[in-house]
Amino acid sequence: MTQTVPVVDDLDQHDVTGTQYLTCMLGAEQYGVGILQVQEIRGWEQVTRIPNSPGYVKGVINLRGTIVPILDLRLRFGLPVEPYTKETVVIVVRSADRHGEERSIGLVVDAVSDVIVANDEDVTSTPEFGANVPTENISGLVSEKGEMVMLLDVPSLLDFSDPESH
């Protein structure tokens, strides 16, 4: 029984220094969202459109009595539009918005990849990407198996203003 204690301690230390991220794909680019913010992963389903909403807001779904807005991250980030496939999923995330209110949103992505663990010291700050990817939605970058993963800043995605106005 005492032999398991060091293993548990190692896991506890690992959890303190590293953060788990669910990674997903948008085209050839890999993005990550903090695993603790992920409520669930759903297949694409029809949504109820909301008039006069920004183009990247696909609509809303009723998730067990909660109305959840659905955002297409390709459209939000100005990436080329691709038809949805059987791989297309909605990652439902929960976070506090800029007013401190807990909210859920669904993020449409091309596919879910993996769960990675990144130590805080391995996360680098976000450089300027130019016009294609608004940097206010990216909290940092981490390298995983030679690939760069852009870490999403979920609270900034809760701001439904026009990304061109930022």
Side-chain angles (χ1 to χ4, degrees), residues 1-162:
M1 186 89 167
T2 57
Q3 292 176 346
T4 60
V5 174
V7 174
V8 172
D9 287 345
D10 287 347
L11 288 175
D12 288 343
Q13 281 182 330
H14 189 263
D15 289 344
V16 169
T17 60
T19 303
Q20 290 185 326
Y21 295 93
L22 175 70
T23 60
C24 57
M25 300 299 294
L26 288 177
E29 297 173 344
Q30 201 168 171
Y31 293 83
V33 62
I35 198 84
L36 296 178
Q37 295 176 305
V38 176
Q39 275 186 277
E40 65 183 86
I41 300 168
R42 305 170 60 88
W44 170 252
E45 62 187 79
Q46 275 306 100
V47 297
T48 302
R49 298 271 317 148
I50 302 296
N52 301 319
S53 60
Y56 62 87
V57 178
K58 300 302 286 183
V60 295
I61 61 170
N62 185 334
L63 184 63
R64 294 179 293 282
T66 301
I67 302 303
V68 177
I70 305 297
L71 283 62
D72 186 316
L73 283 185
R74 278 183 165 277
L75 296 174
R76 175 74 168 155
F77 294 164
L79 299 171
V81 177
E82 292 287 330
Y84 292 172
T85 69
K86 62 180 170 57
E87 309 291 315
T88 303
V89 295
V90 176
I91 302 171
V92 180
V93 295
R94 185 159 187 81
S95 182
D97 64 14
R98 61 182 167 177
H99 305 292
E101 190 175 321
E102 283 285 319
R103 293 180 40 197
S104 294
I105 58 171
L107 306 174
V108 180
V109 298
D110 295 345
V112 171
S113 301
D114 202 357
V115 174
I116 63 169
V117 177
N119 292 317
D120 295 341
E121 61 270 8
D122 295 334
V123 176
T124 59
S125 61
T126 308
E128 283 297 320
F129 286 106
N132 285 346
V133 179
T135 57
E136 68 270 7
N137 300 137
I138 308 298
S139 62
L141 296 166
V142 67
S143 181
E144 176 67 20
K145 298 178 186 166
E147 300 284 325
M148 291 305 295
V149 177
M150 290 179 265
L151 304 177
L152 292 173
D153 180 43
V154 173
S156 74
L157 293 170
L158 295 169
D159 178 8
F160 296 135
S161 64
D162 183 1

